[in-house]
Amino acid sequence: MAKYIVKKSGPLKGEVSISGAKNAVLPLMAATLLNEQECVIRSVPHLRDVQVMKEILESLGATIEEQAPGEYCIKAENIVTTEAPYELVNKMRASFLVMGPLLGRKGVARIPLPGGCAIGARPIDLHLKGFKALGAIVTIHEEGSYAYVEAAAGPQGLIGDRIYLDFPSVGATENIIMAAVLAEGTTFIENAAEEPEIVDLANFLNKMGAKIKGAGTDTIKIEGVKSLHNVRHTVIPDRIETGTFMLAAAITRGAIHIENAVPDHVKPVIAKLRECGVRIEVGDEDIIVRGDLGPLTSTDIKTLPYPGFPTDMQSPFMAFLTVCDGKSTVIETVFENRFMHVSQLNKMGASIETAGNKASVKGNARLRGSEVMATDLRAGAAMVLAGLVAEGTTEISEIYHIERGYENFIEKFAKLGANIKRVE
Ligand code: EPZ
């Protein structure tokens, strides 16, 4: 199994350019299923998850060509099946995002039930609540070793309606928007997720002829349209990658110039790092982070749906808090099991206690290199950050988690002076 070998590194310094957002490009790719005409998406990051989504779209009949680095030309003129293959869906939860557009375009969809994962059960009840509200009959079938969800629209196709989301689920909001684009009449999603990735999806759909208003607020209005046309779109930069490199500058007491960023999308991380004494200068599309200008002290974190502090930044930020002066508390409110990195950080010499969804972090840890593992994508990034400041050498296994979500991760860190390499 491949591993990362991370050695104690000096302050990271230099420039890094942020890639297209994984959590934006996946719904954008799924949305192309709604369109018979050509969709060109630029700044597509080279990630395993993107490869899986590409294979799923191709299995459904779409043609996809990378016509230039990071520029995908996708055409879903002929949908040849409305069932996504288990072996692909099983690799990535976000595959479930093809259900809404397939249902909206063809009136029927059969998708294997996505499994839970390390960070939680990750149910899809709100996705299905939305499809039912649009008039679809939703059934769940056992088939051998797995179950699949089937949704079928009524004889008139999907009919717009008002849907209240009990939790502002990102995926449910995206799936329901896509199902509603070609529906008859108007749909309102209330208590919708407000993440930037939702806004990027709505912008993409509106550019191809959809009529969506309110993306980025808690109420989204979708007026059904009859057809869509070709579109060109650039994926927004990845706000979680941005936050990860901000923390890399902070934890190593370095100075990093982050380019191709959207500072507005990382306001909570900027605010919290400033509370810790990190100097941050914000430009229109770049952020300069200085962790070398004075003592770094602790702060408290509570994850919330956007615009609150992002759950995906919780584990990387906790790694940073272990070496700040003073105690911190970290409360995780979005996922029910997102503290697996705590035992890995404690193995490196951190002193973190958890009780339910609250972690108490003692600061000033003298981290030492150890053999640890990435328990999920963002926890993997947290282990790299800890490894950069731990005495000695840290070996990180299960790094496939990291490589599914961060483009050119090793290269970007090495260019900043990190002593990190990948070994088989
Ligand atoms: C998206 O997952 C992201 N993934 C996650 O990023 C991110 O952590 C999450 O949003 C929250 O911001 C993608 O965009 C591909 P949710 P998603 O539906 O859509 C509950 C990463 O590291 N819920 O907003 O699955 C659910 O159990 C990944 O890049 C229901 O109860 O997140 C969870 O507790 C990790 N019923 C909470 O909502 C539902 O039907 C948030 O889930 C759906 C969700």
Side-chain angles (χ1 to χ4, degrees), residues 22-23 122-126 167 169-171 312 334-335 378:
K22 167 178 90 77
N23 292 348
R122 304 189 72 178
I124 54 162
D125 56 307
L126 297 175
F167 182 91
S169 155
V170 173
D312 290 349
V334 176
F335 286 104
R378 309 304 174 182

Side-chain angles (χ1 to χ4, degrees), residues 22-24 26-27 49 92-95 97 117 119-129 165-174 193 195 197 238-240 304-306 310-312 333-336 338 376-379 404-405:
K22 167 178 90 77
N23 292 348
L26 295 174
D49 277 9
M92 179 182 67
R93 278 186 43 76
S95 318
L97 290 172
C117 67
I119 60 178
R122 304 189 72 178
I124 54 162
D125 56 307
L126 297 175
H127 299 239
L128 305 185
K129 175 179 183 180
L165 293 182
D166 305 59
F167 182 91
S169 155
V170 173
T173 302
E174 292 166 342
E195 273 71 3
E197 292 77 26
D238 194 312
R239 62 191 168 99
I240 307 302
L304 287 167
Y306 196 89
T311 173
D312 290 349
T333 73
V334 176
F335 286 104
E336 70 270 25
R338 206 167 193 179
D376 76 74
L377 165 58
R378 309 304 174 182
R404 54 178 293 201

Side-chain angles (χ1 to χ4, degrees), residues 154-325:
Q156 306 91 335
L158 297 178
I159 313 287
D161 203 335
R162 189 172 289 274
I163 299 153
Y164 172 79
L165 293 182
D166 305 59
F167 182 91
S169 155
V170 173
T173 302
E174 292 166 342
N175 241 337
I176 297 165
I177 287 175
M178 293 189 281
V181 160
L182 298 173
E184 187 61 43
T186 299
T187 298
F188 287 91
I189 306 174
E190 293 175 337
N191 197 30
E194 304 180 20
E195 273 71 3
E197 292 77 26
I198 308 276
V199 176
D200 204 33
L201 175 63
N203 290 340
F204 179 59
L205 289 165
N206 283 338
K207 280 158 77 171
M208 65 170 79
K211 284 189 182 154
I212 302 166
K213 288 197 176 70
T217 74
D218 65 357
T219 303
I220 301 177
K221 176 183 177 184
I222 305 107
E223 290 175 75
V225 295
K226 288 275 172 279
S227 67
L228 300 164
H229 53 73
N230 61 343
V231 61
R232 298 176 69 80
H233 184 78
T234 299
V235 187
I236 53 170
D238 194 312
R239 62 191 168 99
I240 307 302
E241 184 189 15
T242 302
T244 304
F245 281 105
M246 290 171 72
L247 283 163
I251 198 169
T252 63
R253 307 289 195 265
I256 297 180
H257 185 194
I258 300 171
E259 297 166 324
N260 189 42
V262 180
D264 245 15
H265 292 170
V266 287
K267 277 185 187 166
V269 182
I270 292 172
K272 284 294 166 182
L273 282 176
R274 280 177 170 159
E275 285 175 19
C276 297
V278 177
R279 173 81 66 78
I280 297 175
E281 286 164 48
V282 170
D284 290 339
E285 296 179 346
D286 66 335
I287 304 171
I288 294 175
V289 184
R290 303 288 303 264
D292 56 345
L293 300 178
L296 298 179
T297 55
S298 62
T299 186
D300 296 332
I301 299 289
K302 180 176 184 179
T303 69
L304 287 167
Y306 196 89
F309 188 90
T311 173
D312 290 349
M313 288 306 308
Q314 182 254 109
S315 50
F317 208 101
M318 189 186 286
F320 168 59
L321 290 172
T322 65
V323 296
C324 289
D325 296 339

